[in-house]
Amino acid sequence: MHVQAQNRTVAGKVTDQAGQGVPNATVGIKGTNLGTTTGADGSFSISVPANARTLVISSVGYGAQEIRIGSESSYTVSLRSAETGLQEVVVVGYQARRKRDEAGAISTIRAAEIENLPVSSIDRAMQGRAAGVVVQGNSGIPGGGVTVRVRGVGSIGSGNNPLYVVDGVQLNTNNTNTFTQSNPLAFINPNDIESIDILKDAASAAIYGAAASNGVVIITTKKGKAGKTRFTLNSYYGQTSPLKYLDVVNSQEYFQLRTEATANSQNLPTNSLTAKRSVLINDYRQNATLVNGLTEKGIDSLVATIPTYDWQREAFRNGAVRNVELGVSGGNERTTFRLSANYNVQEAIVTKADFRRAGLNFNLSNKATDRLTISTGINLSTFDQKGPFGGGGGSSLGNIAFSSPGVLPFNPIYNSDGSYYGMPGQTPSNLSGVLSQNAVAVNDLNKISQRTNQLIGNIQGEYKLFDWLSFRSYYALDYRNVTGDSWWDPRTPDAFARGGLGQTTANNNINFLTTQLLSAQHNFNDDFRVDGVLGYEYRRENFNYLYASADNFPGPQFTTLGTAANPVSIDQSTSQYRQQSVFGNANITYAGKYILGLVARYDGASRFGSEKPYGFFPGIKLGWNIDREKFFAPLNFISTFRLRASLGSSGNNQIGNFDALGLYSGRSISYGGRGGIQYANLANPRLTWESNRTLNLGLDYGFLNNRISGSVEVYNKRTTDLLLSQGVSLTTGFTSVVSNVGEVENKGVEVTLTANPLKSKRPGGFNWSSTFTMAYNKSKLLQLYGDVKNITVGSNPVSGNATHIVGEELYSVWTAPYAGVNPATGRPMWYDSLGNITYQIQTPRDNRVIGSELPKYTGGLNNTFSFKGFTLDVFFQYEFGRLVNDGQVSFLSESSGRISFLQSIYEERWTKPGDVTDVPRMNLTAEPKASGGLGGSRLWVKGDYIRLKNVMLSYDIPNSIMRRIRSTGAKVYVQGTNLATWTASPSYDPEFLGAGTGQIPQSRNVTVGIQLGF
């Protein structure tokens, strides 16, 4: 007798990453022809045989998922977007939404775009990949600082950093380093990231209110998926090398230039024997009796024998990059998990500037009941950084990257016995020239280090009150402990007289956040859908700082402060910050065509004055999917056409925690031999947020079934009530008070274009896809306060002090235009205020704005080619429209020869009447009744560059081979980073922001790697 096994019914719902139902998704039983499709809300019901084991769920635009059939009768399946475009999901703050249903300006970077990039922090991986987001390295130190600007610079007195949110945790990104550069984002492994969503318009960012004026970067880490447990291994190894060496003169060329400078300063013939003897005796330290007894021919013969020492190639090296990652993920329909561990080492191109990180990322989600889901995420990391002397501690004269090209080329590096040349206590006790320290010795002997231990953790419970309403209770902690040590060896110049110097710091930051959130989503019918959130949030930050130093150590073997004979100083401080907020948004979508979004946030913060501690930040977004209108149907070659508009406001709270308060200070105050206090800060009870109001207009387009697609954004971003130090009468006892004064405007256009020129219909065929991003931004200072028309603010990372002029771009270059060299005399010339030639600049009369240090055009171009398992990615990144003035290049361009010269100065200098050149004649002193030869715009050059940022060639090993070792997949790859740069800038790196006197250049990296899955 034959017994037929009975079927049973399994039901459920298929959703996207935002929780929206996916209609018309296919639900099939693996190994059979049985199946069904989901309804309008994503629900399904299917009869399955008793021997069925797996459901396969798929939908156009999403990746297929397989779900093991257990004893449960109901399943909820979340599909992930399989391709970019309007069907993908974006995180917009406290919720995820389909991009087609979102009307704000949001850029998204997916995991595949940044996978395996050999970078120590995720912000470096964003460079050139999102229109309107400018990423510039402050240094090439691994784990070092990076400047990120979203749609320009909106503030001139407070911070311009975007808000970073990692899995809901709003990070404290204050730079807590003392001795070397640090980066608060260096804790996270880039390969643990699923997506980066950047909220660029104020209406989208308004959900984060007072912290969102500079944009919001939302980072979502990878989570586990239901299914068989998967193990992954990823490892790469590579080498770092210098991008370039500065082309400087040799010993004989320097002698010629220095001789000309000496002769010209004394009105002697250029090749004066007197000048030559002076240079040999005073600079080259030759025996005076010997030199004075030589003829001109004898001197020339002596100079020809003097060796040239290549300090740059002694200073720089080839380093190594190593990375290992292990991961495990999986789960079932109720519990999913992902655990990954990583270890990363990056050696800089100079010693004593390395980076090591060990990290652990864990995400767990459990559906405790049909209504309650509990999840948690933890990211643990510890990373060590070494920094160069002079790059955050110590004199820049001892910094190896700055000094190595500028040391006079005839100075030896080592003595004949292998010891360092020119050290204190020796003869000679220093090097010849202004750069008198042996930078190689200083770098080798001194020690600067920093360790960061960081924990980012969250736990949340979400309870579904009704099918359309849920409540989420979220708690998060961002804990960062940074300790730093600086050791100045007693054998080096800066510490020789004091028997060594030891310094130590400890920075502790605790950032606690809790969010209580109601989320609603309801489909009234097939055409009318409403969703939104309503929440309360509380944030608290505590910061503690401790510093101590001591000198006079027994010897270089003793480096801890306890072994020093003389305690020098101690300092300690603490700071706190509190903020509470109420926020909400509502989104209405009608007929899939019309979109309305409303958002508002009400923030209160302890940083601001007692009269204005609260701020209100609203926003509105409108969208129209024109391509879904009936009248658009005949235009079938246009697959996507939608218009967006948004208007909103957000705030900037990046000032000191106590700037609004009247403060007394007891720091280092002595009164009659006892501790005392003094009035330290003028109160402003009306101090409140900077406010950013942005109007954004957007167009999304697609042609030929989205073979060509992209977007165009146009925006006007106006920042009012700038947080700025305003001058006050000296009768107050102060020079300034932090106030809300001034107004800045940023206008711009952003373009994104994605194309698939070649798309094979056959598996393994040739495919070519390309993505181009371009952004144009121009800033303008609209007003300051009173009759003030220009202002110099703080320490500008670009060039020292920043000049801001009403009616002009921010970071204006305000100087006298350079007119070249007088062909008859070799003297430098400038244009005065009337356009006439002058030899002496009258400041400010002759100054004018010649440009800005901010780029106008930024973006990138990525091309991906694939064929039969091979994939080639080629990525270019570019900047145009800014001026740069590198401090290191300025030193190497001096006419006196205090330090060495660039080769271009030697080749292009004026030497005789009739020479037409921009390089003045050499002179130890300034020309009579004239400005210095480096003045005005002479050394301001275009900072435009195009960089071949990354090239990766990978090969996916066929599954037929990998199944033999029970592997689910494998990929091998080789890639290069910073391979080539096209620029007119003579510096190490045109990307750098800074004076060039304490920075380590970026490196060129070549790595090979392998990924395995089991």
Side-chain angles (χ1 to χ4, degrees):
M1 183 177 64
H2 180 72
V3 179
Q4 177 70 39
Q6 292 186 344
N7 292 359
R8 66 187 181 95
T9 299
V10 171
K13 186 175 183 179
V14 177
T15 68
D16 58 23
Q17 289 170 275
Q20 303 277 354
V22 178
N24 299 316
T26 300
V27 181
I29 300 172
K30 190 173 183 178
T32 74
N33 293 322
L34 301 176
T36 186
T37 57
T38 59
D41 63 349
S43 61
F44 69 90
S45 177
I46 187 172
S47 177
V48 299
N51 61 350
R53 295 290 180 265
T54 305
L55 290 178
V56 180
I57 299 94
S58 62
S59 180
V60 176
Y62 297 89
Q65 275 216 50
E66 294 187 2
I67 301 297
R68 186 173 180 82
I69 301 173
S71 59
E72 293 83 4
S73 60
S74 179
Y75 298 87
T76 297
V77 183
S78 178
L79 296 182
R80 293 180 178 269
S81 175
E83 57 185 72
T84 60
L86 296 179
Q87 294 302 323
E88 70 182 9
V89 172
V90 294
V91 181
V92 294
Y94 306 100
Q95 64 179 148
R97 307 190 75 236
R98 283 186 303 209
K99 195 168 186 178
R100 175 172 283 279
D101 297 334
E102 178 57 40
I106 302 171
S107 290
T108 300
I109 302 172
R110 296 299 179 189
E113 298 178 62
I114 58 176
E115 188 177 50
N116 296 321
L117 292 180
V119 294
S120 54
S121 59
I122 189 58
D123 41 13
R124 292 182 182 269
M126 293 162 49
Q127 192 171 43
R129 299 182 185 274
V133 181
V134 179
V135 180
Q136 296 168 314
N138 298 341
S139 172
I141 296 176
V146 174
T147 297
V148 179
R149 298 290 179 258
V150 178
R151 291 187 166 179
V153 173
S155 179
I156 60 177
S158 59
N160 283 285
N161 294 324
L163 171 67
Y164 292 94
V165 182
V166 178
D167 289 338
V169 184
Q170 298 173 31
L171 298 184
N172 171 18
T173 55
N174 291 331
N175 194 338
T176 53
N177 71 295
T178 301
F179 305 123
T180 187
Q181 290 200 4
S182 68
N183 188 327
L185 295 177
F187 75 93
I188 191 168
N189 174 27
N191 283 346
D192 282 333
I193 292 175
E194 181 72 26
S195 65
I196 302 173
D197 295 289
I198 304 165
L199 313 185
K200 298 185 293 187
D201 65 311
S204 298
I207 195 69
Y208 290 102
S213 177
N214 302 311
V216 182
V217 179
I218 302 177
I219 299 172
T220 304
T221 61
K222 295 175 180 177
K223 308 297 190 296
K225 302 176 184 178
K228 186 177 180 180
T229 300
R230 296 189 60 199
F231 296 87
T232 59
L233 167 67
N234 181 36
S235 180
Y236 61 77
Y237 175 84
Q239 187 177 77
T240 64
S241 60
L243 284 179
K244 64 181 290 188
Y245 296 97
L246 298 185
D247 192 6
V248 293
V249 298
N250 60 30
S251 295
Q252 289 70 37
E253 291 165 337
Y254 176 82
F255 177 81
Q256 179 62 36
L257 294 175
R258 184 68 168 177
T259 299
E260 292 176 16
T262 302
N264 289 332
S265 68
Q266 301 175 24
N267 292 318
L268 298 172
T270 301
N271 286 314
S272 164
L273 184 60
T274 300
K276 290 184 176 181
R277 286 172 174 167
S278 174
V279 172
L280 279 174
I281 294 170
N282 296 320
D283 297 313
Y284 283 65
R285 295 175 174 173
Q286 299 294 316
N287 182 275
T289 302
L290 171 65
V291 171
N292 287 328
L294 292 175
T295 63
E296 184 168 354
K297 184 177 180 180
I299 287 178
D300 292 342
S301 298
L302 174 61
V303 170
T305 64
I306 296 175
T308 296
Y309 298 92
D310 195 335
W311 284 78
Q312 286 189 88
R313 281 168 175 77
E314 185 67 28
F316 294 103
R317 64 169 183 176
N318 290 336
V321 177
R322 297 185 294 274
N323 185 79
V324 178
E325 301 165 13
L326 292 170
V328 56
S329 65
N332 52 36
E333 60 274 8
R334 288 202 171 270
T335 302
T336 60
F337 70 94
R338 182 179 183 272
L339 174 66
S340 69
N342 68 88
Y343 180 70
N344 180 270
V345 177
Q346 296 194 33
E347 296 177 352
I349 53 176
V350 299
T351 59
K352 303 297 182 68
D354 300 335
F355 175 88
R356 295 174 183 269
R357 179 185 61 220
L360 186 72
N361 181 264
F362 177 65
N363 284 306
L364 174 68
S365 179
N366 174 255
K367 189 175 181 180
T369 69
D370 289 341
R371 292 188 176 270
L372 176 64
T373 301
I374 299 172
S375 58
T376 185
I378 297 175
N379 193 301
L380 291 170
S381 67
T382 179
F383 51 95
D384 294 330
Q385 295 171 264
K386 294 180 181 178
F389 190 79
S395 168
S396 62
L397 301 183
N399 179 268
I400 195 167
F402 169 69
S403 292
S404 59
V407 172
L408 301 186
F410 54 83
N411 281 303
I413 304 170
Y414 303 102
N415 294 309
S416 57
D417 62 359
S419 61
Y420 298 112
Y421 174 83
M423 299 294 286
Q426 297 181 6
T427 301
S429 60
N430 57 16
L431 305 184
S432 179
V434 170
L435 298 178
S436 59
Q437 298 188 13
N438 187 322
V440 172
V442 167
N443 190 68
D444 288 347
L445 298 177
N446 291 330
K447 300 175 183 177
I448 293 177
S449 62
Q450 181 171 283
R451 168 167 288 186
T452 301
N453 295 316
Q454 191 159 358
L455 180 150
I456 305 290
N458 68 82
I459 186 169
Q460 66 177 6
E462 184 168 1
Y463 189 80
K464 183 173 287 189
L465 301 170
F466 305 99
D467 288 343
W468 58 273
L469 181 67
S470 63
F471 171 72
R472 180 176 15 149
S473 187
Y474 176 88
Y475 303 88
L477 180 68
D478 170 13
Y479 173 82
R480 185 164 77 244
N481 181 267
V482 183
T483 58
D485 293 290
S486 173
W487 165 248
W488 298 13
D489 194 284
R491 293 167 289 183
T492 60
D494 285 345
F496 181 74
R498 60 193 306 178
L501 173 66
Q503 303 172 82
T504 188
T505 62
N507 297 276
N508 181 274
N509 187 88
I510 301 174
N511 173 23
F512 170 78
L513 176 78
T514 182
T515 306
Q516 309 303 314
L517 190 73
L518 284 170
S519 298
Q521 177 185 313
H522 187 67
N523 296 339
F524 290 93
N525 52 49
D526 290 343
D527 287 336
F528 191 61
R529 184 171 70 249
V530 177
D531 67 81
V533 299
L534 178 66
Y536 169 81
E537 191 165 83
Y538 175 76
R539 182 176 178 182
R540 182 186 70 210
E541 284 187 15
N542 289 350
F543 176 76
N544 297 288
Y545 169 77
L546 180 65
Y547 168 86
S549 65
D551 61 13
N552 200 358
F553 289 79
Q557 301 84 2
F558 299 87
T559 60
T560 57
L561 298 190
T563 61
N566 180 40
V568 175
S569 65
I570 189 168
D571 188 22
Q572 186 177 20
S573 65
T574 185
S575 181
Q576 299 179 358
Y577 169 61
R578 305 286 186 274
Q579 179 172 312
Q580 64 175 349
S581 313
V582 178
F583 59 91
N585 71 15
N587 303 288
I588 301 172
T589 303
Y590 181 71
K593 306 174 187 177
Y594 314 112
I595 301 164
L596 170 65
L598 300 173
V599 61
R601 184 165 176 132
Y602 190 61
D603 278 328
S606 62
R607 283 178 179 162
F608 296 100
S610 57
E611 297 181 18
K612 291 188 175 182
Y614 285 91
F616 179 64
F617 307 98
I620 182 171
K621 296 178 284 187
L622 300 171
W624 182 18
N625 293 320
I626 303 176
D627 53 49
R628 294 194 173 185
E629 297 285 359
K630 291 183 179 179
F631 66 78
F632 206 79
L635 302 175
N636 54 14
F637 68 96
I638 303 178
S639 42
T640 298
F641 195 80
R642 67 192 300 258
L643 296 177
R644 295 176 284 105
S646 69
L647 176 66
S649 67
S650 55
N652 189 343
N653 62 4
Q654 296 181 36
I655 60 170
N657 288 341
F658 307 125
D659 282 0
L661 303 179
L663 301 177
Y664 286 91
S665 173
R667 177 173 289 179
S668 303
I669 304 299
S670 177
Y671 183 78
R674 302 179 64 183
I677 61 174
Q678 68 179 16
Y679 202 21
N681 194 66
L682 194 61
N684 182 357
R686 297 183 60 81
L687 187 68
T688 190
W689 284 276
E690 286 184 355
S691 180
N692 160 37
R693 185 178 71 252
T694 300
L695 172 65
N696 189 92
L697 302 176
L699 166 67
D700 298 318
Y701 60 87
F703 303 96
L704 305 177
N705 199 25
N706 284 341
R707 286 282 294 271
I708 301 172
S709 62
S711 65
V712 179
E713 310 276 353
V714 180
Y715 63 87
N716 184 303
K717 172 182 171 184
R718 182 165 293 194
T719 307
T720 57
D721 295 328
L722 297 181
L723 291 164
L724 193 63
S725 292
Q726 180 180 3
V728 296
S729 171
L730 294 178
T731 59
T732 64
F734 295 89
T735 59
S736 64
V737 62
V738 179
S739 303
N740 293 108
V741 291
E743 191 171 337
V744 167
E745 180 182 67
N746 283 271
K747 294 181 178 180
V749 178
E750 299 165 354
V751 177
T752 300
L753 171 64
T754 298
N756 296 282
L758 295 174
K759 193 171 185 179
S760 175
K761 297 181 179 180
R762 295 179 293 105
F766 185 76
N767 294 281
W768 171 23
S769 63
S770 182
T771 299
F772 171 75
T773 63
M774 186 281 292
Y776 167 82
N777 182 84
K778 186 174 183 179
S779 63
K780 187 177 183 179
L781 178 60
L782 299 180
Q783 67 179 52
L784 286 169
Y785 53 88
D787 296 328
V788 177
K789 298 300 180 183
N790 62 75
I791 189 172
T792 301
V793 179
S795 178
N796 170 27
V798 182
S799 63
N801 288 325
T803 300
H804 306 294
I805 303 171
V806 173
E808 301 288 350
E809 292 184 72
L810 297 182
Y811 295 92
S812 293
V813 179
W814 184 62
T815 189
Y818 187 56
V821 170
N822 186 323
T825 64
R827 298 175 66 192
M829 304 180 297
W830 294 266
Y831 294 107
D832 66 13
S833 58
L834 300 176
N836 299 319
I837 293 295
T838 183
Y839 293 97
Q840 193 163 20
I841 301 171
Q842 299 296 320
T843 302
R845 185 194 70 186
D846 296 334
N847 284 12
R848 68 189 72 173
V849 174
I850 64 169
S852 171
E853 297 179 79
L854 300 178
K856 289 184 176 64
Y857 299 92
T858 59
L861 173 64
N862 189 78
N863 282 283
T864 301
F865 309 90
S866 61
F867 181 69
K868 293 188 179 298
F870 288 95
T871 301
L872 175 65
D873 283 290
V874 182
F875 177 59
F876 291 88
Q877 175 254 331
Y878 64 88
E879 281 188 11
F880 290 95
R882 73 180 177 112
L883 297 178
V884 296
N885 187 339
D886 186 276
Q888 186 175 45
V889 171
S890 296
F891 278 112
L892 293 167
S893 301
E894 290 183 353
S895 298
S896 64
R898 294 189 304 163
I899 68 175
S900 191
F901 296 92
L902 291 172
Q903 184 67 32
S904 60
I905 299 298
Y906 176 79
E907 295 173 354
E908 299 171 18
R909 75 192 187 282
W910 185 94
T911 58
K912 64 183 183 303
D915 285 349
V916 178
T917 179
D918 285 337
V919 181
R921 68 174 187 164
M922 300 294 102
N923 201 329
L924 293 185
T925 60
E927 298 288 348
K929 297 182 180 180
S931 299
L934 300 180
S937 65
R938 178 189 161 195
L939 294 179
W940 285 97
V941 300
K942 290 183 178 181
D944 304 347
Y945 72 89
I946 299 174
R947 172 165 288 164
L948 181 54
K949 191 67 180 179
N950 197 78
V951 176
M952 176 184 286
L953 176 63
S954 62
Y955 178 64
D956 292 302
I957 301 175
N959 289 333
S960 58
I961 297 176
M962 299 314 300
R963 278 196 291 266
R964 299 174 187 175
I965 59 172
R966 297 185 178 181
S967 172
T968 57
K971 179 171 76 173
V972 293
Y973 56 91
V974 57
Q975 70 174 323
T977 304
N978 296 332
L979 294 179
T981 304
W982 294 269
T983 181
S985 172
S987 61
Y988 277 126
D989 193 340
E991 180 186 321
F992 274 179
L993 298 175
T997 55
Q999 300 164 309
I1000 300 299
Q1002 292 190 90
S1003 61
R1004 178 183 293 109
N1005 298 352
V1006 177
T1007 58
V1008 294
I1010 184 170
Q1011 286 179 273
L1012 292 172
F1014 297 93

